[in-house]
Amino acid sequence: MTVTGIITALIVGLIIGALGRLVVPGKQNIPIWLTMVIGIVAALLGTVLARAFGVADTKGFDWIELAFQVVLAAVGVALVAGIGSRRRLTR
């Protein structure tokens, strides 16, 4: 992977993570770096799922692929925020 590819993955991950965080209601007490990691993982998994369903290669912008990515990021943010808040409650 080139430096440009890594920078692009970080930017896409940040955007996907932020979109996933916006979809989840309430305040999430997780750091931005964790949101970015969740976004990168969601972007990769969303692309894999979109290709598995045959909707990754369309004319123009791949809205369905983006939807997969944002939904996965929202689920990831909700899980991590829920686990974090549960830990704070049990202490």
Side-chain angles (χ1 to χ4, degrees):
M1 183 174 256
T2 64
V3 173
T4 306
I6 293 170
I7 292 170
T8 302
L10 290 173
I11 292 170
V12 169
L14 182 60
I15 293 168
I16 296 295
L19 288 173
R21 195 171 180 158
L22 286 173
V23 172
V24 177
K27 183 177 181 191
Q28 299 83 34
N29 290 324
I30 60 173
I32 192 68
W33 66 266
L34 189 54
T35 301
M36 190 168 83
V37 170
I38 292 169
I40 291 169
V41 171
L44 293 172
L45 288 176
T47 300
V48 169
L49 278 176
R51 288 189 183 182
F53 283 103
V55 295
D57 295 322
T58 59
K59 293 182 181 179
F61 191 78
D62 296 324
W63 291 104
I64 299 172
E65 182 178 356
L66 178 64
F68 277 125
Q69 293 170 339
V70 172
V71 167
L72 287 171
V75 169
V77 167
L79 285 173
V80 171
I83 290 169
S85 67
R86 186 173 188 121
R87 281 189 183 162
R88 280 188 292 280
L89 290 175
T90 59
R91 285 186 187 174

